[in-house]
Amino acid sequence: MIYWEIFLAFFIPGILGYGGGPASIPLVENEVVHRYGWLSVSEFSEVLALGNALPGPIATKMAGYIGYEQAGILGAAVGVFATVAPSLILMIALMSLLYKFRDSPKVKRMSNYVRPTIALLLGVMAFRFFAESYEASGTIQTVFLIIASYLLLEKWKVHPAYVIVGALTYGAILL
């Protein structure tokens, strides 16, 4: 039963997460945190941060880790397979169709219509992270980390992995 739940927890976001990893992360968060209760919001944000800091696709790293935490090595394998299976199946089935219509204005318009939905999903997830941080760390720490992260990323163009490692170090030492 746990393997089937792991499969569904990562297969469904893989199918519905049109637009790649960032689009599927809020869906994975919904499955892992709210539906199955395997992780808290705080734990999920830590797994996401570590997945972001390491090279490679985020969703597969998260699926491997969460699957392993729930059911060992076979759970990790099921989670990773469930994450890549939708893309693999769709790539095999639709490759010729997508190649034929890749320059179609309708396909480009469809992608443009999906972007606001992805932005909203990421915004809701960011708000949940903010609320969790606010409750756990307080206003001053949360605002400091937001401003410092924003400046490091946008003004000084520091790689996100270094910002995440810095925030983790800050939290480990001061919080």
Side-chain angles (χ1 to χ4, degrees):
M1 186 65 178
I2 187 68
Y3 299 114
W4 179 245
E5 290 177 349
I6 292 170
F7 181 81
L8 289 178
F10 294 101
F11 187 76
I12 292 171
I15 290 174
L16 300 176
Y18 181 81
S24 65
I25 289 171
L27 301 172
V28 170
E29 188 248 357
N30 183 61
E31 296 292 317
V32 169
V33 174
H34 303 291
R35 183 171 181 190
Y36 294 109
W38 293 331
L39 300 176
S40 67
V41 172
S42 176
E43 292 169 332
F44 184 83
S45 67
E46 292 170 1
V47 171
L48 177 62
L50 287 174
N52 250 337
L54 299 172
I58 298 168
T60 53
K61 289 179 283 187
M62 293 177 61
Y65 175 77
I66 295 168
Y68 180 79
E69 285 291 314
Q70 295 305 310
I73 292 174
L74 186 56
V78 169
V80 170
F81 175 73
T83 301
V84 300
S87 297
L88 181 66
I89 293 167
L90 287 175
M91 284 289 291
I92 292 170
L94 300 175
M95 191 61 186
S96 63
L97 189 63
L98 289 175
Y99 184 77
K100 184 177 179 181
F101 295 108
R102 71 178 178 197
D103 294 326
S104 167
K106 289 182 180 179
V107 172
K108 289 180 180 178
R109 216 174 319 140
M110 181 180 75
S111 294
N112 287 336
Y113 290 149
V114 170
R115 287 184 183 148
T117 303
I118 294 169
L120 180 64
L121 289 172
L122 289 172
V124 168
M125 186 179 72
F127 179 77
R128 288 181 184 156
F129 287 173
F130 173 77
E132 180 79 16
S133 175
Y134 177 76
E135 290 176 11
S137 306
T139 305
I140 294 172
Q141 304 293 342
T142 301
V143 170
F144 172 75
L145 287 172
I146 289 171
I147 292 171
S149 298
Y150 178 79
L151 291 173
L152 289 168
L153 291 170
E154 295 299 322
K155 185 169 184 169
W156 294 301
K157 306 295 183 196
V158 175
H159 191 277
Y162 296 126
V163 175
I164 292 168
V165 170
L168 287 171
T169 304
Y170 179 84
I173 294 172
L174 298 176
L175 299 179

